[in-house]
Amino acid sequence: TCDMIGSRDSVTRHRAGQAVDPEEVLQNKIVGLYFSAGWCSPCRDFTPLLCDFYTELLEGAQPPAPFEIVLPAQSWLALGPGAHFKMGKASAMALPFHDPYKHDLKKKYNITAIPKLVIVKQTGEVITDKGRKQIRERGLTCFRNWLEGADVFQNFSN
């Protein structure tokens, strides 16, 4: 069950805009909840690094790494679709803009400042709330530590 996004009927794939089933898409994956905004300069600095990290994990490994990014709605909509969070060939997931659950997520994960990348298990349990710092300092090697803390079945090597 995907407790970190509640019992959502669907979330939206930002790039294509289609609804997806979070149970299916997030099953057996580590999830990065990325709280960000277009007006935030540190967010604009970190987002390309996160995009590269995400793309390399998904496209640079066979099979792709068990990792997904979920954006609460305020993270990208303030800029207009496509302006802020381009993920290469991969598409990040986002809650629908008017979904009030984004406020519950901010409260649940104690988001008081942005950018913030909270790495969670499929259950919503926090692996680390320092995802941004870890990616900046260690790059792809931090993913191995997340895997060890996640109890995710994986056939992933980097």
Side-chain angles (χ1 to χ4, degrees), residues 134-154:
Q134 291 178 3
I135 288 173
R136 280 198 178 281
E137 292 178 355
R138 292 185 257 159
L140 288 174
T141 59
C142 65
F143 187 74
R144 176 69 57 198
N145 294 337
W146 300 346
L147 272 176
E148 290 170 4
D151 306 319
V152 169
F153 170 78
Q154 50 91 20

Side-chain angles (χ1 to χ4, degrees), residues 36-95:
S36 159
W39 48 262
C40 167
S41 181
C43 298
R44 289 193 308 268
D45 289 343
F46 177 67
T47 297
L49 185 62
L50 179 59
C51 291
D52 290 346
F53 177 86
Y54 183 71
T55 300
E56 194 160 343
L57 281 176
L58 268 60
E59 297 176 8
Q62 284 301 322
F67 183 62
E68 190 66 60
I69 293 175
V70 174
L71 305 167
Q74 77 278 8
S75 297
W76 54 269
L77 217 73
L79 303 151
H84 178 46
F85 213 78
K86 293 188 168 46
M87 299 297 294
K89 293 178 187 171
S91 298
M93 293 172 53
L95 292 173

Side-chain angles (χ1 to χ4, degrees), residues 2-141:
C2 297
D3 295 333
M4 106 267 322
I5 59 168
S7 59
R8 313 308 328 138
D9 292 329
S10 66
V11 291
T12 302
R13 280 268 184 198
H14 172 55
R15 173 179 256 205
Q18 79 267 23
V20 295
D21 177 358
E23 289 283 339
E24 183 180 317
V25 175
L26 301 178
Q27 182 177 14
N28 207 31
K29 291 186 180 175
I30 294 169
V31 177
L33 295 170
Y34 183 44
F35 298 86
S36 159
W39 48 262
C40 167
S41 181
C43 298
R44 289 193 308 268
D45 289 343
F46 177 67
T47 297
L49 185 62
L50 179 59
C51 291
D52 290 346
F53 177 86
Y54 183 71
T55 300
E56 194 160 343
L57 281 176
L58 268 60
E59 297 176 8
Q62 284 301 322
F67 183 62
E68 190 66 60
I69 293 175
V70 174
L71 305 167
Q74 77 278 8
S75 297
W76 54 269
L77 217 73
L79 303 151
H84 178 46
F85 213 78
K86 293 188 168 46
M87 299 297 294
K89 293 178 187 171
S91 298
M93 293 172 53
L95 292 173
F97 181 66
H98 295 294
D99 192 330
Y101 190 64
K102 64 186 176 186
H103 302 295
D104 296 338
L105 281 175
K106 286 172 72 174
K107 186 175 181 182
K108 178 176 181 174
Y109 294 107
N110 194 30
I111 305 304
T112 57
I114 57 172
K116 187 78 164 182
L117 180 64
V118 181
I119 306 301
V120 298
K121 299 179 183 183
Q122 175 181 328
T123 61
E125 183 183 341
V126 175
I127 296 170
T128 181
D129 64 356
K130 296 180 174 38
R132 176 177 168 239
K133 180 178 190 225
Q134 291 178 3
I135 288 173
R136 280 198 178 281
E137 292 178 355
R138 292 185 257 159
L140 288 174
T141 59

